[in-house]
Structures are given as structure tokens and as C-alpha cells.
């Protein structure tokens, strides 16, 4: 093998190693940040202060994500029933995020690529549709967030 | 030669849809989002704006406190140091964004996502754009000061409660008109630089001054078309802003928080940033092969749009 080819192959291998290390670092950071946020929510870090709904203030109706923060707080404290009352999609979204993080780790270990490229647009579209459906159901039934 | 506004927009959107969604690849979004961040966000064009209004008494108090603060030489040095640091950081950001503009344009033209290779290859053009922009900013500031100072003096003397203040207020009219005209000219220069001069620099591999010369010869023959282009782009941005506000309101303003994050905001806004980046070159291509950026670069063509002019 010519020296230039050896050098090219060596550079490509070190580049691939750096890329894998960066990916694992990103995976670990994402998991760590999510865990820290979850623990903070459970400890009441946002007690009494979450995002205010501009749509509710302007038009008097809640937006599709109204109650999501409170629902996540209830879930972080282990109160599933209260979480569902605040927003029924909070628990499924948390489950999705956890599965996505595990799938990301699996992809890094197995080297199987393209999972996120195939599934992310579908999941985002499905979640957006689910938010709208729940929102419309709340509006039509008159059920509003406490 | 018939020049259209809708057809370039459709082609730009088709190009963007193909690049971002067919197929969808996270890597493309993340890398292209970084290119857009370098190009658009570091130039300050999408930074948060801060508006604060003071009443007369508060303004005098703030001015007195600033004067008292600067009376101590040590604090004056600190203030100068802070101003110099901000200026240096601003200049560095401007250099990065000047180079980033060509990285983003190259990615859109070639329908791929890359940072390092175009950054190196197109660095000379980015440096030329940076130098031109520095000179332009200095000249613009000097021109702005030439009527901002009399404007400020007029306003302050009117607020001082002089009995003839109504005469001074009348003098504000022409000054405000001048300021508005100046703002419009600067806005058009920025638009033409971003949408036309940068693509000409990229296509021909020439510096900013040569590219402006080439563009101005075209502009001189089609003044109304290019001025109308400015109104067209403004209408598009208003539509995009309305959509962004609607989506933000529908997410308890969490959408706004997402957009405010550097880099994250540029990734989320790619479906708007990529078409806008492609729109200028698509419009320019209607004026002949010598202005066709996509053809010269061998960039892949978008799918033909039914009914588009040939």
C-alpha cells in the first residue's frame, strides 16, 4: 500500500473514532440533561412559575400544549392520574423521549444508521396531530386545564 | 425576457423541499442549520431587539448618572475597555458571518450539507465581503450621525420646555423623513448584497466591489423590477413572521423560546432560511446565463415547475 493511501486510511480511521466519541458524548449529555431536568421538575423547581399561555390571555382559550408543564411536574412526582388530567399526552411524550434516547444508544452500539431519519418525521407528524386532536376535543367538550 | 417573482419562489421552495425532506436526514438539518447559523444569526439580522422608552425625567437622571460615572478616570477606562471589547467581538462575528454566507450559499447551490470544505475554498470571497461590510458600516454610521445629532438636539431642546418648542418640533419633520429614507436605502443595500451581490461573487469568484459593479449595471437597466423585488421579499417575511407567531402562540410560547436559542433556532427555521437563500439566485438567473449561479456551479436542478416561464 502506498504511503499516501496509508496516511489517508489512518486519517479516515481517526476521524471516524472522533466522530463516534462525539456521538457518545452527545448521547450522554442529552441523557444527563434530561435526567437533571426531570429531577428538578419533581423537586418543584418550577412551582408556581411555568410558561404563561399568550393564546389564553389574548383569546381566552388554551393552546394545544397548555398544561403540559404541570402535567410533566405531576409525572415527575409520580402522580400519573393528575398528569393525565393536566394534559393526557405528557406521559406518552415522556415515554417517546425515553425510547428515542435508548434507540439512539442502540444505533451507536450496533452501527445501524438511518433509524432517526426514517422515524423522526413520522413521530413528529403523529405527535403534532395528536396535540391538535386533544386540543380540539378539549375545546369541544369544554374541558379546560385547571 | 419576462421576469417573474412567483416562479423563482416556487423553484426555491422545490429546491429546499428536495434538500430538506426528500429524503429527510437529520445530519443534513444539523449541518445546514449550523451553516445558516454562521450566515444569518451571527450577522445580527435575527438577534433579539430591545426597545425601551424613557420618560423625560428618567432620561435626565440616566444622563446625570452616566456623567457621574465617567467622572472617575478608572471607570472611564473600564467603559472604554468594555466598548472596545464589544467592538472586537462584533468584528469577529462579522468576519465569521461573512464567510458563513458563502458556506450556506454553497450548500444550497450544491444541495448538500458541509462546513469545512466550503469554508476553506471560499474564504477569500468571505474576506472580501467582510472588508466591504466593515467600510459600509463605518460610512453608514457617519451618515446616520450627521442627521441623528441635529435630531437629538432638536428633541432635547423641545423636551426642555422652551416656549418656542413647537417651532423646533416642526423642524423634526424633514429630519425624520431623511432618517426614514436613509433606513430604506440601507435596507435595500443589505437586501441586494445578500440576495444578488454575494451570489455574483460566488459564481464569478470575484471580490465585493467587482460584484457590486456587475450588479449595478444590471440594476440600472431594471430599477423598477429590483425595487419591486424588495417589496416582494418584505411581504414574504411578513407572512413567515405571521406563521412563526401563530405556531409560537399554539405552543404556550415554548416555540418562541426554541427559536431564541442560538443554532437551535436556525435549525428550526431552515424551511424558511433555505428558500430565502435560494430565492435571490433563482431571481437573478432570469436575467441570463451570466447571472445563473446554479447553472455555473453545476448545482442540481429542482424538479420542473408546471407553468413556469422558460
Amino acid at each position: 500500500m502506498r504511503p499516501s493511501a496509508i496516511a489517508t486510511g489512518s486519517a479516515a480511521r481517526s476521524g471516524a473514532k472522533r466522530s463516534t466519541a462525539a456521538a457518545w458524548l452527545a448521547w450522554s449529555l442529552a441523557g444527563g440533561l434530561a435526567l437533571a431536568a426531570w429531577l428538578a421538575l419533581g423537586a418543584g423547581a418550577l412551582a408556581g412559575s411555568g410558561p404563561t399561555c399568550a393564546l389564553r390571555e389574548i383569546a381566552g382559550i388554551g393552546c394545544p400544549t397548555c398544561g403540559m408543564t404541570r402535567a410533566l411536574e405531576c409525572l415527575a412526582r409520580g402522580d400519573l392520574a393528575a398528569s393525565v388530567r393536566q394534559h393526557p399526552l405528557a406521559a406518552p411524550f415522556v415515554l417517546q423521549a425515553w425510547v428515542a434516547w435508548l434507540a439512539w444508544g442502540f444505533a451507536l452500539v450496533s452501527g445501524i444508521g438511518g433509524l432517526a431519519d426514517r422515524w423522526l418525521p413520522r413521530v413528529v407528524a403523529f405527535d403534532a396531530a395528536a396535540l391538535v386532536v386533544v386540543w380540539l376535543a378539549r375545546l369541544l367538550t369544554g374541558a379546560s386545564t385547571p | 425576457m419576462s421576469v417573474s417573482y412567483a416562479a423563482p419562489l416556487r423553484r426555491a421552495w422545490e429546491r429546499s423541499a428536495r434538500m430538506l425532506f426528500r429524503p429527510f436526514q437529520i445530519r443534513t438539518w444539523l449541518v445546514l442549520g449550523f451553516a445558516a447559523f454562521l450566515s444569518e444569526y451571527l450577522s445580527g439580522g435575527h438577534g433579539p431587539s430591545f426597545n425601551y422608552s424613557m420618560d423625560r425625567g428618567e432620561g435626565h437622571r440616566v444622563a446625570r448618572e452616566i456623567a457621574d460615572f465617567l467622572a472617575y478616570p478608572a471607570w472611564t477606562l473600564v467603559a472604554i475597555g468594555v466598548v472596545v471589547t464589544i467592538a472586537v467581538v462584533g468584528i469577529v462575528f462579522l468576519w465569521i458571518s461573512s464567510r458563513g454566507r458563502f458556506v450556506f450559499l454553497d450548500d444550497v447551490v450544491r444541495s448538500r450539507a458541509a462546513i469545512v470544505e466550503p469554508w476553506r475554498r471560499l474564504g477569500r470571497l468571505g474576506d472580501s465581503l467582510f472588508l466591504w461590510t466593515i467600510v459600509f458600516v463605518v460610512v453608514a454610521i457617519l451618515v446616520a450621525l450627521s442627521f441623528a445629532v441635529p435630531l437629538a438636539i432638536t428633541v432635547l431642546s423641545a423636551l426642555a420646555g422652551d416656549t418656542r418648542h413647537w417651532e423646533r418640533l416642526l423642524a423634526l419633520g424633514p429630519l425624520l423623513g431623511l432618517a426614514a429614507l436613509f433606513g430604506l436605502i440601507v435596507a435595500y443595500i443589505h437586501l441586494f448584497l445578500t440576495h444578488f451581490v454575494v451570489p455574483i461573487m460566488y459564481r464569478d469568484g470575484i471580490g465585493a466591489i467587482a460584484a457590486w459593479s456587475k450588479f449595478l449595471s444590471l440594476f440600472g437597466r431594471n430599477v423598477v423590477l429590483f425595487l419591486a423585488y424588495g417589496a416582494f421579499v418584505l411581504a414574504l417575511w411578513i407572512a413567515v413572521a405571521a406563521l412563526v407567531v401563530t405556531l409560537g402562540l399554539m405552543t404556550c410560547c415554548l416555540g418562541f423560546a426554541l427559536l431564541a436559542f442560538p443554532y437551535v433556532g436556525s435549525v428550526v427555521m431552515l424551511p424558511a432560511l433555505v428558500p430565502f437563500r435560494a430565492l435571490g439566485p433563482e431571481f437573478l438567473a432570469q436575467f441570463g446565463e451570466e447571472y445563473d449561479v446554479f447553472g455555473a456551479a453545476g448545482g442540481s436542478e429542482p424538479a420542473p415547475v408546471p407553468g413556469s416561464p422558460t
Side-chain angles (χ1 to χ4, degrees):
Chain A
M1 189 181 286
R2 288 180 298 161
S4 59
I6 294 172
T8 304
S10 172
R13 277 194 299 276
S14 66
K17 277 185 189 171
R18 276 199 303 271
S19 177
T20 305
W24 276 114
L25 180 64
W27 181 81
S28 307
L29 275 176
L33 284 172
L35 181 63
W38 188 252
L39 293 174
L41 272 178
L46 281 182
S49 66
T52 54
C53 183
L55 191 63
R56 186 186 290 279
E57 293 194 13
I58 294 170
I61 55 173
C63 71
T65 58
C66 257
M68 186 67 74
T69 310
R70 282 164 286 173
L72 289 173
E73 282 181 314
C74 294
L75 202 57
R77 287 196 303 269
D79 192 346
L80 179 60
S83 172
V84 170
R85 278 196 303 276
Q86 294 288 349
H87 201 297
L89 293 179
F93 282 179
V94 168
L95 186 62
Q96 268 182 21
W98 191 62
V99 168
W101 183 73
L102 289 176
W104 183 8
F106 172 75
L108 289 176
V109 167
S110 64
I112 298 174
L115 282 176
D117 294 341
R118 275 199 301 276
W119 285 101
L120 189 61
R122 298 172 191 178
V123 169
V124 168
F126 180 80
D127 287 350
L131 277 172
V132 171
V133 166
V134 167
W135 179 58
L136 289 174
R138 283 176 155 186
L139 286 178
L140 291 173
T141 58
S144 59
T145 52
Chain B
M1 176 190 70
S2 71
V3 173
S4 165
Y5 295 93
L9 179 62
R10 280 197 296 268
R11 282 197 296 273
W13 175 252
E14 270 299 310
R15 185 178 294 277
S16 310
R18 213 161 43 95
M19 200 174 168
L20 296 175
F21 299 106
R22 299 195 292 262
F24 175 85
Q25 290 182 320
I26 285 191
R27 184 190 170 277
T28 298
W29 281 70
L30 295 179
V31 176
L32 198 59
F34 186 66
F37 170 70
L38 292 178
S39 168
E40 310 293 329
Y41 281 70
L42 287 187
S43 65
H46 297 271
S49 62
F50 177 69
N51 288 309
Y52 182 65
S53 59
M54 284 190 248
D55 60 32
R56 188 194 314 175
E58 195 172 354
H60 288 171
R61 195 179 64 248
V62 168
R64 267 201 312 277
E65 287 180 7
I66 292 174
D68 292 340
F69 177 82
L70 294 177
Y72 295 96
W75 289 122
T76 305
L77 284 175
V78 167
I80 291 173
V82 168
V83 168
V84 168
T85 302
I86 290 173
V88 167
V89 169
I91 288 171
V92 169
F93 277 8
L94 181 63
W95 175 73
I96 293 173
S97 77
S98 297
R99 282 200 163 199
R101 285 191 191 278
F102 289 95
V103 170
F104 190 38
L105 177 62
D106 186 71
D107 285 350
V108 170
V109 168
R110 292 171 186 244
S111 290
R112 57 89 190 259
I115 301 292
V116 176
E117 188 273 330
W119 176 275
R120 287 180 183 151
R121 176 166 46 88
L122 301 168
R124 184 181 55 85
L125 299 181
D127 293 342
S128 173
L129 176 66
F130 165 68
L131 290 173
W132 187 92
T133 306
I134 284 276
V135 172
F136 172 70
V137 167
V138 169
V139 169
I141 288 174
L142 291 175
V143 170
L145 283 175
S146 68
F147 53 79
V149 170
L151 184 63
I153 291 171
T154 306
V155 169
L156 287 173
S157 64
L159 291 176
D162 192 290
T163 53
R164 296 178 62 181
H165 70 272
W166 58 269
E167 291 178 351
R168 292 200 170 90
L169 284 175
L170 278 179
L172 277 179
L175 286 173
L176 287 174
L178 263 180
L181 180 63
F182 175 72
L184 188 64
I185 291 172
V186 168
Y188 262 108
I189 290 174
H190 177 76
L191 173 75
F192 293 156
L193 178 72
T194 306
H195 282 235
F196 305 125
V197 175
V198 166
I200 290 173
M201 290 176 70
Y202 172 83
R203 183 198 182 279
D204 297 342
I206 56 180
I209 294 177
W212 265 110
S213 176
K214 183 173 178 179
F215 169 70
L216 286 174
S217 71
L218 178 67
F219 174 76
R221 298 192 297 272
N222 304 277
V223 175
V224 175
L225 289 175
F226 281 101
L227 292 181
Y229 179 85
F232 176 63
V233 170
L234 176 63
L236 287 178
W237 270 119
I238 289 172
V240 168
L243 185 62
V244 167
V245 166
T246 303
L247 289 176
L249 288 177
M250 297 289 274
T251 56
C252 269
C253 302
L254 292 176
F256 295 139
L258 210 61
L259 289 179
F261 270 105
Y263 175 59
V264 174
S266 61
V267 173
V268 171
M269 287 294 291
L270 274 178
L273 294 175
V274 176
F276 270 105
R277 178 64 277 178
L279 180 60
E282 291 283 6
F283 184 80
L284 210 53
Q286 299 177 104
F287 293 94
E289 274 185 22
E290 70 267 35
Y291 299 101
D292 186 357
V293 176
F294 296 107
S300 50
E301 290 296 321
V305 177
S308 59
T310 54

